[in-house]
Coordinates of all heavy atoms in Angstrom, one line a residue:
M83 N 36.1 186.6 65.3 CA 37.4 187.3 64.9 C 38.2 186.4 64.0 O 38.4 185.2 64.5 CB 38.3 187.8 66.1 CG 38.6 189.2 65.9 SD 40.3 189.6 66.4 CE 40.7 188.5 67.8
S84 N 38.7 186.9 62.9 CA 39.4 185.9 62.0 C 41.0 185.9 62.4 O 41.4 186.9 62.9 CB 39.2 186.3 60.6 OG 40.3 187.0 60.1
V85 N 41.5 184.8 62.3 CA 42.8 184.5 62.7 C 43.5 183.8 61.5 O 42.9 183.0 60.9 CB 42.9 183.4 63.9 CG1 44.3 183.5 64.6 CG2 41.8 183.7 64.9
A86 N 44.9 184.1 61.3 CA 45.6 183.5 60.2 C 45.7 182.0 60.4 O 46.1 181.4 61.5 CB 47.0 184.1 60.1
R87 N 45.5 181.3 59.3 CA 45.7 179.9 59.2 C 47.2 179.5 58.9 O 47.8 180.2 58.1 CB 44.7 179.3 58.1 CG 44.7 177.8 58.1 CD 43.8 177.3 57.0 NE 43.9 175.9 57.0 CZ 42.9 175.0 56.6 NH1 41.8 175.5 56.2 NH2 43.2 173.7 56.7
L88 N 47.7 178.6 59.7 CA 49.1 178.2 59.5 C 49.3 177.5 58.1 O 48.5 176.7 57.7 CB 49.6 177.3 60.6 CG 49.6 177.9 62.1 CD1 50.1 176.7 62.9 CD2 50.4 179.0 62.1
T89 N 50.4 177.7 57.5 CA 50.8 177.1 56.3 C 51.4 175.7 56.7 O 51.6 175.4 57.9 CB 52.0 177.8 55.5 OG1 53.1 177.8 56.5 CG2 51.7 179.2 55.2
Q90 N 51.4 174.8 55.7 CA 51.9 173.4 56.1 C 53.3 173.4 56.6 O 53.5 172.7 57.6 CB 52.0 172.6 54.7 CG 50.7 171.8 54.4 CD 50.8 170.8 53.4 OE1 52.0 170.7 52.9 NE2 49.8 170.2 52.9
E91 N 54.1 174.4 56.2 CA 55.5 174.4 56.7 C 55.5 174.9 58.2 O 56.1 174.4 59.0 CB 56.4 175.4 55.9 CG 57.9 175.1 56.1 CD 58.7 176.2 55.4 OE1 58.1 176.7 54.3 OE2 59.8 176.6 55.9
E92 N 54.6 175.9 58.5 CA 54.5 176.4 59.9 C 53.9 175.3 60.8 O 54.4 175.1 61.8 CB 53.6 177.6 59.8 CG 54.2 178.9 59.3 CD 53.2 180.0 59.1 OE1 52.0 179.8 58.8 OE2 53.6 181.2 59.1
C93 N 53.0 174.4 60.2 CA 52.4 173.4 61.0 C 53.5 172.4 61.3 O 53.6 171.9 62.5 CB 51.3 172.6 60.2 SG 49.9 173.5 60.0
S94 N 54.4 172.0 60.3 CA 55.4 171.0 60.6 C 56.4 171.5 61.7 O 56.9 170.9 62.6 CB 56.3 170.6 59.4 OG 55.4 170.7 58.3
E95 N 56.7 172.8 61.5 CA 57.7 173.4 62.5 C 57.2 173.4 63.9 O 57.8 173.0 64.9 CB 57.9 174.9 62.1 CG 59.1 175.0 61.1 CD 59.2 176.6 60.7 OE1 58.9 177.4 61.4 OE2 59.7 176.7 59.5
A96 N 55.9 173.8 64.0 CA 55.1 173.8 65.4 C 55.1 172.5 65.9 O 55.3 172.2 67.2 CB 53.8 174.5 65.1
L97 N 54.9 171.4 65.2 CA 54.7 170.1 65.7 C 56.0 169.5 66.1 O 55.9 168.6 66.9 CB 54.0 169.2 64.6 CG 52.5 169.4 64.6 CD1 51.9 168.4 63.5 CD2 51.8 169.0 66.0
A98 N 57.1 170.0 65.6 CA 58.4 169.5 66.1 C 58.6 169.8 67.5 O 59.2 169.0 68.2 CB 59.4 170.2 65.2
D99 N 58.0 170.8 68.1 CA 58.0 171.1 69.5 C 56.9 170.4 70.2 O 56.9 170.6 71.5 CB 57.8 172.6 69.7 CG 58.9 173.4 69.1 OD1 60.0 173.0 68.9 OD2 58.6 174.7 68.8
L100 N 56.1 169.7 69.6 CA 54.9 168.9 70.2 C 54.9 167.5 69.9 O 54.0 167.1 69.2 CB 53.6 169.8 69.9 CG 53.4 171.2 70.5 CD1 52.2 171.9 69.7 CD2 53.2 171.1 71.9
P101 N 56.0 166.8 70.3 CA 56.1 165.4 69.8 C 54.9 164.5 70.1 O 54.8 163.5 69.4 CB 57.4 164.9 70.5 CG 57.5 165.8 71.7 CD 57.0 167.1 71.3
D102 N 54.1 164.7 71.1 CA 53.0 163.8 71.4 C 51.7 164.3 70.7 O 50.7 163.6 70.9 CB 52.8 163.9 72.9 CG 54.0 163.3 73.7 OD1 54.5 162.2 73.2 OD2 54.4 163.7 74.7
W103 N 51.8 165.2 69.9 CA 50.6 165.6 69.2 C 50.7 165.3 67.7 O 51.8 165.3 67.1 CB 50.4 167.2 69.3 CG 50.1 167.7 70.6 CD1 50.9 167.8 71.8 CD2 48.8 168.0 71.3 NE1 50.2 168.1 72.8 CE2 48.9 168.4 72.6 CE3 47.5 168.2 70.6 CZ2 47.9 168.8 73.3 CZ3 46.5 168.6 71.4 CH2 46.6 168.9 72.7
A104 N 49.6 165.0 67.2 CA 49.6 164.5 65.6 C 48.6 165.4 65.0 O 47.5 165.9 65.5 CB 49.3 163.1 65.6
L105 N 48.8 165.6 63.7 CA 47.8 166.3 62.9 C 46.6 165.4 62.7 O 46.8 164.1 62.7 CB 48.5 166.5 61.5 CG 49.5 167.8 61.2 CD1 49.9 167.7 59.9 CD2 48.8 169.1 61.7
A106 N 45.5 166.0 62.6 CA 44.3 165.3 62.4 C 43.4 166.1 61.4 O 43.7 167.1 61.1 CB 43.6 165.1 63.7
R107 N 42.3 165.4 61.0 CA 41.4 166.0 60.1 C 42.0 166.8 58.9 O 41.8 168.0 58.8 CB 40.5 167.0 60.8 CG 39.6 166.4 61.9 CD 38.7 167.4 62.4 NE 38.1 167.0 63.6 CZ 37.6 167.8 64.6 NH1 37.6 169.2 64.4 NH2 37.0 167.4 65.6
D108 N 42.9 165.9 58.1 CA 43.5 166.6 57.0 C 44.3 167.8 57.2 O 44.4 168.7 56.4 CB 42.4 166.9 55.9 CG 41.9 165.7 55.2 OD1 42.6 164.6 55.1 OD2 40.8 165.7 54.7
G109 N 44.9 167.8 58.5 CA 45.8 168.9 58.8 C 45.1 170.1 59.3 O 45.7 171.1 59.5
S110 N 43.8 170.1 59.6 CA 43.1 171.2 60.0 C 43.0 171.2 61.6 O 42.3 172.1 62.1 CB 41.8 171.3 59.4 OG 41.0 170.1 59.8
A111 N 43.6 170.2 62.2 CA 43.5 170.1 63.6 C 44.7 169.4 64.1 O 45.4 168.7 63.4 CB 42.3 169.3 64.1
I112 N 44.9 169.4 65.5 CA 45.9 168.6 66.2 C 45.3 167.9 67.3 O 44.3 168.3 67.9 CB 47.2 169.3 66.7 CG1 46.8 170.6 67.6 CG2 48.1 169.7 65.5 CD1 47.9 171.2 68.2
F113 N 45.9 166.7 67.7 CA 45.1 165.7 68.5 C 46.2 165.1 69.5 O 47.3 164.8 69.1 CB 44.6 164.7 67.6 CG 43.9 163.6 68.4 CD1 42.5 163.7 68.9 CD2 44.6 162.3 68.5 CE1 42.0 162.6 69.5 CE2 44.0 161.3 69.3 CZ 42.6 161.5 69.8
R114 N 45.8 164.9 70.7 CA 46.6 164.1 71.6 C 45.7 163.3 72.6 O 44.6 163.9 73.0 CB 47.5 164.9 72.4 CG 48.3 164.1 73.3 CD 49.4 164.8 74.3 NE 49.8 163.8 75.2 CZ 50.8 164.0 76.0 NH1 51.4 165.0 76.2 NH2 51.1 162.9 76.9
K115 N 46.1 162.1 72.9 CA 45.4 161.2 73.9 C 46.2 161.4 75.3 O 47.5 161.4 75.3 CB 45.4 159.8 73.5 CG 44.5 159.5 72.5 CD 44.5 158.0 72.2 CE 43.6 157.6 71.0 NZ 43.7 156.2 70.7
F116 N 45.5 161.4 76.4 CA 46.1 161.4 77.7 C 45.5 160.3 78.6 O 44.3 160.1 78.3 CB 45.8 162.9 78.4 CG 46.3 164.0 77.6 CD1 45.4 164.5 76.6 CD2 47.5 164.6 77.9 CE1 45.8 165.6 76.0 CE2 47.9 165.8 77.3 CZ 47.0 166.3 76.2
E117 N 46.3 159.8 79.3 CA 45.8 158.8 80.3 C 46.3 159.1 81.7 O 47.5 159.4 81.9 CB 46.3 157.4 79.9 CG 45.5 156.4 80.5 CD 45.8 155.0 79.9 OE1 45.7 154.8 78.7 OE2 46.2 154.0 80.7
F118 N 45.4 159.0 82.6 CA 45.8 159.4 84.1 C 45.4 158.2 84.9 O 45.0 157.2 84.5 CB 44.8 160.6 84.4 CG 45.1 161.8 83.6 CD1 44.4 162.2 82.5 CD2 46.1 162.6 83.9 CE1 44.7 163.2 81.7 CE2 46.5 163.8 83.3 CZ 45.8 164.0 82.1
G119 N 45.7 158.3 86.3 CA 45.5 157.2 87.1 C 44.1 156.9 87.4 O 43.7 155.7 87.5
D120 N 43.2 157.9 87.4 CA 41.7 157.7 87.6 C 41.0 158.8 87.2 O 41.6 159.9 86.6 CB 41.5 157.4 89.1 CG 42.0 158.5 90.1 OD1 42.2 159.7 89.6 OD2 42.3 158.3 91.3
F121 N 39.7 158.9 87.4 CA 38.8 159.9 86.9 C 39.1 161.3 87.6 O 39.1 162.3 86.9 CB 37.4 159.5 87.1 CG 36.4 160.7 86.7 CD1 36.2 161.0 85.3 CD2 35.7 161.3 87.6 CE1 35.4 162.0 85.0 CE2 34.9 162.4 87.3 CZ 34.6 162.7 86.0
I122 N 39.4 161.2 88.8 CA 39.6 162.5 89.5 C 40.9 163.2 88.9 O 40.9 164.4 88.8 CB 39.8 162.3 91.0 CG1 38.4 161.9 91.7 CG2 40.4 163.5 91.8 CD1 37.4 163.1 91.6
E123 N 41.9 162.4 88.6 CA 43.2 163.0 88.0 C 42.8 163.5 86.7 O 43.3 164.6 86.3 CB 44.2 161.9 87.9 CG 45.2 161.9 89.1 CD 46.3 160.9 88.9 OE1 46.8 160.8 87.7 OE2 46.6 160.2 89.8
A124 N 42.0 162.8 85.9 CA 41.7 163.3 84.6 C 40.8 164.6 84.6 O 41.0 165.5 83.9 CB 40.9 162.1 83.8
F125 N 39.9 164.6 85.6 CA 39.0 165.7 85.6 C 39.8 166.9 86.2 O 39.5 168.0 85.8 CB 37.8 165.4 86.5 CG 36.7 166.3 86.2 CD1 35.9 166.2 85.0 CD2 36.4 167.4 87.0 CE1 34.8 167.1 84.8 CE2 35.3 168.2 86.8 CZ 34.6 168.1 85.6
G126 N 40.8 166.7 87.1 CA 41.6 167.7 87.5 C 42.4 168.4 86.4 O 42.5 169.7 86.3
F127 N 42.8 167.6 85.5 CA 43.7 168.1 84.3 C 42.6 168.9 83.4 O 42.9 170.0 83.0 CB 44.1 166.8 83.5 CG 44.6 167.1 82.2 CD1 45.8 167.8 81.9 CD2 43.9 166.6 81.1 CE1 46.1 168.1 80.6 CE2 44.3 166.9 79.7 CZ 45.4 167.6 79.5
M128 N 41.4 168.4 83.3 CA 40.4 169.0 82.4 C 40.1 170.3 83.0 O 39.8 171.3 82.3 CB 39.1 168.0 82.2 CG 39.4 166.9 81.4 SD 38.0 165.8 81.3 CE 37.0 166.6 80.1
T129 N 39.9 170.5 84.3 CA 39.7 171.7 84.9 C 40.8 172.7 84.7 O 40.5 173.9 84.3 CB 39.6 171.5 86.5 OG1 38.6 170.5 86.7 CG2 39.2 172.8 87.2
G130 N 42.0 172.2 84.7 CA 43.2 173.2 84.3 C 43.0 173.6 82.9 O 43.2 174.8 82.6
V131 N 42.7 172.7 82.0 CA 42.6 173.1 80.7 C 41.4 174.0 80.5 O 41.5 175.0 79.6 CB 42.4 171.8 79.7 CG1 42.2 172.2 78.3 CG2 43.7 170.8 79.8
A132 N 40.4 173.9 81.2 CA 39.2 174.7 81.0 C 39.5 176.2 81.5 O 39.1 177.2 80.8 CB 38.0 174.2 81.9
L133 N 40.3 176.3 82.5 CA 40.7 177.6 82.9 C 41.7 178.2 81.8 O 41.5 179.5 81.5 CB 41.5 177.6 84.2 CG 40.6 177.2 85.4 CD1 41.4 176.9 86.7 CD2 39.4 178.1 85.7
L134 N 42.6 177.5 81.3 CA 43.5 178.0 80.3 C 42.5 178.4 79.0 O 42.8 179.4 78.4 CB 44.4 176.9 79.7 CG 45.6 176.4 80.5 CD1 46.2 175.3 79.8 CD2 46.5 177.6 80.7
A135 N 41.6 177.7 78.7 CA 40.8 177.8 77.5 C 40.0 179.2 77.7 O 39.9 180.0 76.8 CB 39.8 176.7 77.3
E136 N 39.5 179.4 78.9 CA 38.7 180.6 79.2 C 39.6 181.8 79.0 O 39.1 182.9 78.5 CB 38.1 180.6 80.6 CG 36.7 180.0 80.5 CD 35.7 180.6 79.6 OE1 35.2 181.7 79.9 OE2 35.4 180.1 78.5
K137 N 40.9 181.7 79.7 CA 41.8 182.7 79.6 C 42.1 183.2 78.3 O 42.2 184.4 77.8 CB 43.0 182.4 80.4 CG 43.7 183.6 81.1 CD 44.7 183.0 82.2 CE 46.0 183.6 82.2 NZ 46.9 183.0 83.1
A138 N 42.3 182.2 77.4 CA 42.8 182.4 76.0 C 41.7 182.6 75.0 O 41.8 182.9 73.8 CB 43.7 181.3 75.5
D139 N 40.4 182.4 75.5 CA 39.2 182.4 74.6 C 39.5 181.5 73.5 O 39.3 181.8 72.3 CB 38.9 183.8 74.1 CG 37.6 183.9 73.5 OD1 36.7 183.1 73.8 OD2 37.4 184.8 72.7
H140 N 40.0 180.3 73.8 CA 40.3 179.3 72.9 C 40.0 178.0 73.4 O 40.6 177.4 74.4 CB 41.8 179.4 72.4 CG 42.0 178.6 71.1 ND1 41.4 179.0 69.9 CD2 42.7 177.5 70.8 CE1 41.8 178.1 68.9 NE2 42.5 177.2 69.5
H141 N 38.9 177.3 72.8 CA 38.4 176.1 73.5 C 38.6 174.8 72.8 O 38.4 174.7 71.6 CB 36.8 176.4 73.7 CG 36.6 177.6 74.5 ND1 36.5 178.9 74.0 CD2 36.4 177.9 75.8 CE1 36.3 179.9 74.9 NE2 36.2 179.2 76.1
P142 N 38.8 173.8 73.7 CA 39.1 172.4 73.1 C 38.0 171.7 72.6 O 36.8 172.0 73.1 CB 39.8 171.7 74.2 CG 39.2 172.3 75.4 CD 39.0 173.7 75.1
E143 N 38.0 170.8 71.7 CA 37.1 169.7 71.4 C 37.7 168.6 72.2 O 38.8 168.3 72.0 CB 37.0 169.4 70.0 CG 36.5 170.5 69.3 CD 36.3 170.3 67.7 OE1 36.1 169.2 67.4 OE2 36.5 171.3 67.0
W144 N 36.9 167.9 73.1 CA 37.4 166.8 73.9 C 36.5 165.8 74.2 O 35.2 166.0 74.1 CB 38.1 167.4 75.1 CG 37.4 168.3 76.1 CD1 36.0 168.5 76.1 CD2 37.9 169.0 77.1 NE1 35.7 169.5 77.1 CE2 36.9 169.6 77.7 CE3 39.2 169.2 77.6 CZ2 37.1 170.6 78.8 CZ3 39.4 170.1 78.7 CH2 38.3 170.7 79.3
F145 N 37.2 164.7 74.7 CA 36.3 163.4 75.0 C 37.0 162.8 76.2 O 38.2 162.8 76.3 CB 36.4 162.5 73.8 CG 35.8 161.2 73.9 CD1 34.5 161.0 73.8 CD2 36.5 160.1 74.2 CE1 33.8 159.7 73.9 CE2 36.0 158.8 74.4 CZ 34.6 158.6 74.3
N146 N 36.1 162.4 77.1 CA 36.6 161.8 78.4 C 35.9 160.6 78.6 O 34.6 160.5 78.6 CB 36.5 162.7 79.5 CG 36.6 162.2 80.9 OD1 35.6 162.2 81.6 ND2 37.6 161.6 81.2
V147 N 36.6 159.5 79.0 CA 36.0 158.3 79.6 C 36.9 158.0 80.7 O 38.0 157.6 80.6 CB 35.9 157.1 78.7 CG1 35.4 155.9 79.4 CG2 35.0 157.4 77.5
Y148 N 36.4 158.0 82.0 CA 37.1 157.7 83.3 C 38.5 158.4 83.3 O 38.5 159.5 83.5 CB 37.2 156.1 83.3 CG 37.8 155.7 84.7 CD1 37.4 156.2 85.9 CD2 38.9 154.8 84.7 CE1 37.8 155.8 87.0 CE2 39.4 154.4 86.0 CZ 38.9 155.0 87.2 OH 39.6 154.6 88.3
N149 N 39.5 157.6 83.0 CA 40.9 158.1 83.1 C 41.6 158.6 81.9 O 42.7 158.9 81.9 CB 41.9 157.1 83.8 CG 42.1 155.9 83.0 OD1 41.3 155.6 82.2 ND2 43.2 155.3 83.2
R150 N 40.7 158.5 80.8 CA 41.3 158.9 79.5 C 40.7 160.2 79.0 O 39.5 160.5 79.2 CB 41.0 157.8 78.4 CG 41.8 156.7 78.5 CD 41.5 155.7 77.3 NE 40.2 155.1 77.3 CZ 39.4 155.3 76.4 NH1 39.6 155.9 75.2 NH2 38.1 154.8 76.3
V151 N 41.5 161.0 78.5 CA 41.0 162.3 77.9 C 41.7 162.4 76.5 O 42.8 162.2 76.2 CB 41.5 163.5 78.8 CG1 41.0 164.9 78.2 CG2 41.0 163.4 80.2
E152 N 40.9 162.7 75.5 CA 41.4 163.0 74.1 C 41.1 164.4 73.8 O 39.9 164.9 73.9 CB 40.7 162.1 73.2 CG 41.0 160.7 73.4 CD 40.3 159.6 72.5 OE1 39.7 160.1 71.5 OE2 40.3 158.4 72.8
I153 N 42.0 165.2 73.2 CA 41.8 166.6 73.1 C 42.1 166.9 71.5 O 43.2 166.5 71.0 CB 42.7 167.4 73.9 CG1 42.3 167.4 75.3 CG2 42.6 169.0 73.3 CD1 43.0 168.2 76.3
T154 N 41.3 167.5 70.8 CA 41.5 168.0 69.5 C 41.4 169.6 69.5 O 40.6 170.2 70.1 CB 40.3 167.5 68.6 OG1 40.3 166.1 68.5 CG2 40.5 168.1 67.1
L155 N 42.5 170.2 68.9 CA 42.5 171.6 68.9 C 42.4 172.1 67.3 O 43.2 171.6 66.6 CB 43.8 172.1 69.5 CG 44.1 171.8 71.0 CD1 45.4 172.2 71.4 CD2 42.9 172.4 71.8
T156 N 41.5 173.0 67.2 CA 41.4 173.5 65.8 C 40.9 175.0 66.0 O 40.4 175.3 67.2 CB 40.5 172.7 65.0 OG1 40.5 173.3 63.7 CG2 39.0 172.7 65.5
T157 N 41.1 175.9 65.0 CA 40.6 177.1 65.2 C 39.4 177.4 64.2 O 39.6 177.5 63.0 CB 41.7 178.2 64.9 OG1 42.8 178.0 65.9 CG2 41.2 179.7 65.1
H158 N 38.2 177.4 64.9 CA 37.0 177.6 64.0 C 37.1 178.9 63.2 O 36.6 178.8 62.1 CB 35.7 177.5 64.8 CG 35.8 176.3 65.8 ND1 35.8 176.3 67.2 CD2 35.8 175.0 65.5 CE1 35.8 175.0 67.7 NE2 35.9 174.3 66.6
D159 N 37.6 179.9 63.8 CA 37.7 181.3 63.2 C 38.7 181.2 61.9 O 38.6 182.1 61.2 CB 38.0 182.3 64.2 CG 37.0 182.5 65.3 OD1 35.8 182.1 65.1 OD2 37.4 183.0 66.3
A160 N 39.5 180.2 61.9 CA 40.5 180.2 60.9 C 40.1 178.9 59.9 O 40.9 178.7 58.9 CB 41.9 180.1 61.3
D161 N 39.2 178.2 60.3 CA 38.8 177.0 59.5 C 40.0 176.0 59.3 O 40.3 175.5 58.3 CB 38.3 177.5 58.1 CG 37.4 176.4 57.6 OD1 36.8 175.6 58.4 OD2 37.2 176.4 56.2
G162 N 40.8 176.0 60.5 CA 42.0 175.1 60.4 C 42.8 175.4 61.6 O 42.4 176.0 62.6
L163 N 44.1 175.1 61.5 CA 45.1 175.3 62.5 C 45.6 176.8 62.5 O 46.0 177.3 61.5 CB 46.3 174.4 62.4 CG 46.3 173.0 63.0 CD1 47.4 172.2 62.6 CD2 46.0 173.0 64.4
S164 N 45.8 177.3 63.7 CA 46.3 178.7 63.8 C 47.4 178.7 65.0 O 47.5 177.7 65.7 CB 45.3 179.7 64.1 OG 45.0 179.7 65.5
Q165 N 48.0 179.7 65.2 CA 49.1 179.9 66.3 C 48.3 179.6 67.6 O 49.0 179.2 68.7 CB 49.7 181.2 66.2 CG 51.1 181.2 66.8 CD 52.1 180.2 66.2 OE1 52.2 180.1 65.1 NE2 52.6 179.4 67.2
R166 N 47.1 179.9 67.7 CA 46.3 179.6 69.0 C 46.3 178.3 69.3 O 46.2 178.0 70.6 CB 44.8 180.1 68.7 CG 44.6 181.7 68.7 CD 43.2 182.0 68.8 NE 43.0 183.3 68.4 CZ 41.8 183.9 68.2 NH1 40.7 183.1 68.4 NH2 41.6 185.0 67.8
D167 N 46.2 177.4 68.4 CA 46.2 175.9 68.7 C 47.5 175.5 69.2 O 47.6 174.7 70.2 CB 45.8 175.1 67.5 CG 44.4 175.5 67.0 OD1 43.4 175.4 67.8 OD2 44.4 175.9 65.8
I168 N 48.6 176.0 68.7 CA 49.9 175.6 69.1 C 50.2 176.2 70.5 O 50.8 175.5 71.4 CB 51.0 176.2 68.1 CG1 50.7 175.8 66.7 CG2 52.4 175.9 68.5 CD1 50.5 174.3 66.4
A169 N 49.8 177.4 70.8 CA 50.0 178.1 72.0 C 49.2 177.3 73.1 O 49.7 177.0 74.2 CB 49.5 179.5 72.1
M170 N 48.0 176.8 72.7 CA 47.1 176.1 73.7 C 47.8 174.7 73.9 O 47.8 174.2 75.2 CB 45.7 176.0 73.2 CG 44.8 175.2 74.0 SD 44.5 175.9 75.7 CE 43.8 177.5 75.1
A171 N 48.3 174.0 72.9 CA 48.9 172.7 73.1 C 50.1 172.9 74.1 O 50.3 172.0 74.9 CB 49.3 172.2 71.8
K172 N 50.9 173.9 73.9 CA 52.0 174.1 74.6 C 51.7 174.3 76.1 O 52.3 173.9 77.1 CB 53.0 175.2 74.1 CG 53.7 174.6 72.9 CD 54.6 175.8 72.3 CE 55.3 175.2 71.1 NZ 56.0 176.2 70.3
A173 N 50.5 175.2 76.4 CA 50.1 175.5 77.7 C 49.6 174.2 78.3 O 49.7 173.9 79.6 CB 49.0 176.6 77.6
I174 N 48.9 173.3 77.6 CA 48.4 172.1 78.1 C 49.6 171.1 78.5 O 49.5 170.5 79.6 CB 47.5 171.4 77.1 CG1 46.2 172.2 76.8 CG2 47.2 169.9 77.4 CD1 45.3 171.7 75.7
E175 N 50.5 171.2 77.7 CA 51.7 170.3 78.0 C 52.4 170.8 79.3 O 52.7 169.9 80.1 CB 52.9 170.4 77.0 CG 52.5 169.6 75.7 CD 52.2 168.2 75.9 OE1 53.1 167.5 76.4 OE2 51.2 167.7 75.4
A176 N 52.3 172.1 79.6 CA 53.0 172.6 80.8 C 52.2 172.3 82.0 O 52.7 172.4 83.1 CB 53.1 174.1 80.5
L177 N 50.9 171.9 81.9 CA 50.1 171.5 83.1 C 50.5 170.1 83.6 O 50.2 169.8 84.6 CB 48.6 171.4 82.6 CG 47.8 172.6 82.4 CD1 46.3 172.2 82.0 CD2 47.8 173.6 83.6
L178 N 51.0 169.3 82.6 CA 51.2 167.9 83.0 C 52.4 167.7 84.0 O 53.3 168.3 84.0 CB 51.6 167.0 81.7 CG 50.4 167.1 80.7 CD1 51.0 166.5 79.3 CD2 49.3 166.2 81.2
Ligands
H2B209 C1 33.7 184.8 69.9 C2 34.8 184.0 70.3 O1 36.0 184.9 70.6 C3 35.2 183.0 69.5 O2 34.1 182.2 69.1 C4 36.3 182.1 70.0 C5 35.9 181.2 71.2 N1 36.7 180.0 71.2 C6 37.2 179.4 70.1 N2 37.8 178.1 70.2 C7 38.3 177.6 69.2 N3 38.9 176.4 69.3 N4 38.3 178.2 67.9 C8 37.9 179.4 67.8 O3 37.9 179.9 66.7 C9 37.2 180.1 68.9 N5 36.7 181.3 68.8

């Protein structure tokens, strides 16, 4: 299903509410690194994100080593950033 791609202005506005997230991949994605106490904490967080992702049908690209998790959000269906990425980033922040 196709989704509207955010304009540059919409991206800047959205990122103002997400201070720990940065634009990545020429503005077609957003990215944040997380660090936890240990692997169990990191994996618990990832489990929460997985449940959010299934509910929203919007899935992260991510990388984990022990207590570190890196998340990239982009909308494949929009070939860039959409409101879905912003909503997912906000929902992820709310898990912390
Ligand atoms: C068919 C299904 O709704 C789509 O493939 C969904 C699944 N999860 C998705 N996740 C992300 N990150 N971008 C998408 O465009 C996307 N599309």
Side-chain angles (χ1 to χ4, degrees):
M83 227 217 336
S84 101
V85 198
R87 189 176 173 151
L88 296 180
T89 64
Q90 266 190 8
E91 198 186 331
E92 288 169 332
C93 288
S94 329
E95 272 175 28
L97 278 179
D99 294 337
L100 293 166
D102 294 318
W103 293 76
L105 283 176
R107 294 190 198 157
D108 282 335
S110 63
I112 52 175
F113 175 84
R114 182 181 168 177
K115 287 182 185 179
F116 302 85
E117 197 169 308
F118 297 92
D120 56 24
F121 177 69
I122 288 299
E123 269 186 42
F125 202 79
F127 167 72
M128 292 174 78
T129 303
V131 174
L133 294 173
L134 287 176
E136 272 301 288
K137 208 163 140 189
D139 192 26
H140 194 65
H141 300 86
E143 297 178 26
W144 54 11
F145 176 79
N146 160 245
V147 176
Y148 185 54
N149 65 334
R150 285 189 292 124
V151 180
E152 298 178 9
I153 297 185
T154 300
L155 298 174
T156 187
T157 301
H158 307 117
D159 298 337
D161 206 23
L163 275 177
S164 77
Q165 206 53 56
R166 289 189 192 173
D167 301 301
I168 304 309
M170 181 59 60
K172 287 183 179 170
I174 289 172
E175 290 297 309
L177 286 180
L178 296 170

